[in-house]
Amino acid sequence: MDDTHVGQQQEQGKGRARHRAERTCIGCRAQRGSHDLLRFVCTPQGQAILDSSWHAPGRGVYVCYDVICLRKALTPARLALALKQPVIAPDFDVVYQEVRSLLYKRLRACLGLGQKAGAVVSGYALLQKACAQARVLYMILAEDIASGRAGEYRSWCTQHNVPHVMLFTKEELGHIIGKPSRSALGLTAPHFLELLCAILTSLERLSIAYDKI
Ligand SMILES: [Zn+2]
């Protein structure tokens, strides 16, 4: 291994360390990895905005994927204190929709990557075979799946102890994996399942809390 390679590895190591850096939610004060929190920054005009890139320059503040934390955090007083300058708070409903869109975008990206990595099975016969071989770890059923077909997939899930969730339309599921419409997708790799579940958990925390308000 030459020095350049070692240097690159050290740089990558530093990158991972930064990725894991803990930040504090300004709503509930919990500490989490920075990528498990939403980041907000201030524009030169003093408007606080969601930084969906996580890389916008300037001081950033972090908030949990939780509507209660967002409600507490996105006030002019709390933002001004954390950003150390006068701040115009963003419109709550706009931020809420932005965060939902962001999470759905990440879900689509995760499934698209899973497909490219060969970790997604789709199509009736292939899914049936993969379930029988106990290769399916998680199943996604389309929200507009025909009830008879949904019943079949659910019975396979029950039989093989596979958790499932209803997400996207058949058309969307097909589009995400670059195929014609799909009633169901099966995930076969733990790594992608972990990614998917982390996004679903964020979406759940956002939605459950929103319903309570
Ligand atoms: Zn919080």
Side-chain angles (χ1 to χ4, degrees), residues 69-131:
C69 293
L70 284 166
R71 286 267 187 218
K72 279 189 194 162
L74 300 182
T75 62
R78 189 71 66 103
L79 287 167
L81 193 68
L83 289 163
K84 301 188 192 306
Q85 67 173 94
V87 174
I88 303 162
D91 182 275
F92 179 82
D93 290 329
V94 171
V95 168
Y96 182 81
Q97 289 309 330
E98 278 179 337
V99 176
R100 272 184 71 82
S101 304
L102 185 73
L103 289 171
Y104 274 99
K105 194 173 153 191
R106 285 168 65 186
L107 276 178
R108 286 192 287 270
C110 173
L111 291 171
L113 279 174
Q115 170 72 19
K116 284 195 185 116
V120 172
V121 180
S122 66
Y124 184 87
L126 287 176
L127 259 175
Q128 189 176 32
K129 190 176 166 193
C131 279

Side-chain angles (χ1 to χ4, degrees), residues 25-30 32 37 62-66 68-70 205:
C25 165
I26 63 163
C28 69
R29 301 283 164 201
R32 301 178 196 276
L37 294 163
Y62 295 83
V63 185
C64 296
Y65 285 86
D66 186 309
I68 299 191
C69 293
L70 284 166
R205 275 165 49 202

